[in-house]
Amino acid sequence: MVALNLIGMVVLIGVLSLYVFQRRKNKKLLLEVNYTGKALYNSENVFRFILQNVHAFIIMIDRDFVVLQTNYYDVTKAPRPENRVIRVGDLLHCTNALSAAGGCGTHAVCQLCLIRKKIRDTYIAKGSFTDYEATLQISDRQGRIAACNTSIFGEYMVVDNEERMVITVHDITRLKKAERELCKAREKAENADRSKSAFLANMSHEIRTPLNAIVGFSELLAYTEAAEEKTQYLEIIHSNNELLQQLIADILDLSKIESGTLNFTFSDVDLNQIMSDLEQLAQMRLGEKSAVIKISREVSPIECIMHTDRNRLMQVVANFITNAVKFTDEGTIILGHEPRAEEVYFYVKDTGNGIPADKVDHIFERFVRVEHEKKGTGLGLSICETIVRKLGGEIGVDSEYGKGSTFWFTLPLNGQVAETEE
Ligand code: ADP
């Protein structure tokens, strides 16, 4: 009996211990479940927060390009369409998708869509693709849709035995813009470098030519007795002096243009007065040619005062006159100005050599010279062009080879230094 009781006690204690042990175990399990649930909840929140704020669209699609999940609506704040099948092209406002009633994939052109092809190939290969660049219409947070440069990534995966692909679309418009600007800047720097080298090579040649003539004929002059030869040498020295002076003046102007220090002083200028001064200068420039060339001025009947840089304006007309005298063997040179609504049109017309049609478009470029028999630097017109553009005007030439040219420019009546691209 006692033994039976003892056995009963032992069994009871065993059952109780088992009960307590089981309860503790259950409690621990419950705690663990609670803890895991909270962690899961937290990490899901973090995950959602990241997706909402990441600077990329992440889109999970099935094999039919149907969007299953995306952060697109969280990022753009665009309304999420209900009960409607949305494919990638619909989501990203593909113009083809929008123009077809059925949406993305139903248009004939969709068969040629390179992004579709990329995704299709990646599904077949069960692989991935990176950095596929395309222009897409993307909505910003304000709902504005604009063409953007994008970089697209795709990653094949299997979820619950179903084939899926995660597409990531990065807006790289700003990056592309910066890249383009960088390319432009590099091109500009390389061009500048090239033209600097060409400029130096040209300059050393151009300076040496008149300098050699001056030095050479000065030496000859010292040993020459004959008056006729002396006069001839002096003339050569004189003309080369002028050329050298012009060259140095041009180089100084060019270096000012290059360094952005070509300054302008604006004042009210009486155009009839200025053109009359320039006509006198033209007569002086004629020299011996006065026997074969007639210079005249078409006087504007309108009194015209314009606000501009007097010296620079004279420099341009004087350059046109010098060229007209240089490149005209006989005939006439006519200069004039014509006030128009908001601007004044200046011109120098000659009956000289004219410029071949294929050279006309390049005549304002540096060092461009059509004929090399006449002395010159090939810089004057390019400097004129810079001056006129800086003063807010236009410059050009109408020329017929063998018949003559009209060099012209316009300046605003009320000028100021214009922003120009160097
Ligand atoms: P440069 O006169 O010192 O050579 P420019 O820049 O002033 O330099 O002129 C460039 C070239 O344009 C000249 O060498 C010449 O071939 C051509 N040109 C300029 N003006 C005339 C003109 N009135 N008639 C014919 N050709 C001209």
Side-chain angles (χ1 to χ4, degrees):
M1 191 60 187
V2 175
L4 266 175
N5 278 348
L6 265 172
I7 293 167
M9 285 278 281
V10 170
V11 170
L12 192 67
I13 289 168
V15 169
L16 275 174
S17 312
L18 205 69
Y19 173 72
V20 171
F21 174 75
Q22 199 59 43
R23 266 198 70 142
R24 278 196 188 147
K25 199 175 156 194
N26 284 350
K27 205 170 167 187
K28 200 173 159 208
L29 264 175
L30 207 70
L31 275 174
E32 271 175 15
V33 167
N34 276 348
Y35 176 75
T36 320
K38 202 169 173 198
L40 210 67
Y41 176 75
N42 279 345
S43 81
E44 199 181 306
N45 264 352
V46 169
F47 183 61
R48 187 175 300 127
F49 182 78
I50 292 172
L51 280 186
Q52 284 171 355
N53 290 285
V54 74
H55 288 273
F57 296 131
I58 301 169
I59 308 159
M60 183 187 271
I61 57 166
D62 66 11
R63 278 206 80 136
D64 294 326
F65 298 79
V66 173
V67 176
L68 302 172
Q69 279 186 34
T70 180
N71 66 342
Y72 181 89
Y73 302 105
D74 299 312
V75 173
T76 61
K77 306 283 183 264
R80 194 184 289 264
E82 299 289 335
N83 305 325
R84 196 155 68 86
V85 172
I86 298 286
R87 292 193 170 80
V88 192
D90 307 318
L91 190 78
L92 298 176
H93 308 277
C94 168
T95 35
N96 294 329
L98 296 179
S99 64
C104 171
T106 56
H107 200 279
V109 189
C110 293
Q111 299 315 309
L112 305 173
C113 173
L114 293 176
I115 306 174
R116 279 189 152 257
K117 183 173 175 347
K118 196 87 204 164
I119 294 174
R120 217 180 293 128
D121 291 350
T122 310
Y123 260 124
I124 294 166
K126 299 186 192 319
S128 62
F129 65 90
T130 55
D131 249 337
Y132 185 78
E133 290 190 9
T135 305
L136 299 176
Q137 308 289 320
I138 303 266
S139 164
D140 64 9
R141 277 178 187 266
Q142 281 73 43
R144 289 177 301 225
I145 293 166
C148 299
N149 297 106
T150 59
S151 170
I152 309 173
F153 296 70
E155 187 75 42
Y156 172 87
M157 58 172 61
V158 176
V159 181
D160 290 338
N161 290 328
E162 298 287 348
E163 290 188 298
R164 304 281 183 251
M165 192 172 301
V166 173
I167 309 281
T168 315
V169 181
H170 294 270
D171 182 353
I172 53 165
T173 310
R174 266 193 284 178
L175 206 72
K176 281 276 154 196
K177 192 169 169 237
E179 199 178 290
R180 279 196 297 275
E181 274 162 15
L182 216 65
C183 270
K184 245 201 242 171
R186 198 185 65 187
E187 219 170 88
K188 204 170 160 188
E190 280 172 0
N191 278 346
D193 195 40
R194 264 196 299 274
S195 47
K196 279 243 152 63
S197 309
F199 178 76
L200 279 178
N202 247 309
M203 271 305 130
S204 49
H205 169 76
E206 298 294 336
I207 290 176
R208 224 175 289 138
T209 312
L211 206 59
N212 284 346
I214 294 168
V215 173
F217 283 98
S218 301
E219 277 173 12
L220 279 179
L221 196 66
Y223 298 107
T224 306
E225 297 291 326
E228 200 180 318
E229 275 179 2
K230 273 189 175 176
T231 317
Q232 196 190 346
Y233 295 164
L234 274 172
E235 262 172 24
I236 295 171
I237 292 169
H238 177 70
S239 80
N240 279 287
N241 264 340
E242 275 190 347
L243 181 63
L244 204 57
Q245 265 180 337
Q246 185 59 52
L247 203 63
I248 286 165
D250 285 352
I251 293 170
L252 288 178
D253 272 350
L254 268 188
S255 80
K256 281 184 194 161
I257 290 169
E258 290 291 315
S259 63
T261 54
L262 188 73
N263 292 327
F264 295 90
T265 312
F266 285 80
S267 63
D268 287 338
V269 178
D270 179 345
L271 291 189
N272 276 332
Q273 179 59 51
I274 264 200
M275 294 307 279
S276 155
D277 293 351
L278 284 162
E279 187 188 358
Q280 281 178 27
L281 176 102
Q283 299 289 0
M284 275 163 49
R285 289 270 155 92
L286 268 187
E288 281 177 4
K289 283 189 172 176
S290 59
V292 281
I293 298 175
K294 189 176 170 311
I295 286 188
S296 64
R297 178 164 76 94
E298 287 172 345
V299 182
S300 167
I302 311 166
E303 284 283 315
C304 187
I305 306 285
M306 77 184 294
H307 192 70
T308 193
D309 185 315
R310 180 180 194 279
N311 291 343
R312 296 291 177 194
L313 162 60
M314 287 187 80
Q315 182 180 347
V316 178
V317 184
N319 198 99
F320 285 180
I321 291 172
T322 309
N323 282 347
V325 172
K326 191 164 39 168
F327 299 106
T328 305
D329 294 329
E330 58 178 8
T332 55
I333 295 173
I334 302 168
L335 63 143
H337 72 284
E338 198 182 296
R340 293 176 176 175
E342 295 289 321
E343 61 180 25
V344 180
Y345 172 81
F346 298 87
Y347 57 92
V348 176
K349 191 174 174 181
D350 65 57
T351 53
N353 302 357
I355 300 160
D358 60 324
K359 295 281 184 350
V360 169
D361 288 343
H362 304 282
I363 212 71
F364 291 95
E365 290 168 17
R366 286 178 192 175
F367 301 113
V368 171
R369 293 167 64 198
V370 177
E371 56 158 290
H372 293 261
E373 282 154 31
K374 306 264 163 64
K375 283 200 164 59
T377 64
L379 291 174
L381 288 180
S382 84
I383 294 171
C384 289
E385 185 183 35
T386 306
I387 292 173
V388 170
R389 293 214 190 286
K390 284 272 176 200
L391 289 174
E394 293 286 315
I395 194 166
V397 60
D398 304 313
S399 187
E400 201 175 332
Y401 192 45
K403 292 212 165 149
S405 317
T406 303
F407 278 84
W408 59 265
F409 63 97
T410 58
L411 286 185
L413 263 178
N414 216 342
Q416 56 183 9
V417 179
E419 288 293 325
T420 54
E421 210 173 290
E422 297 303 336

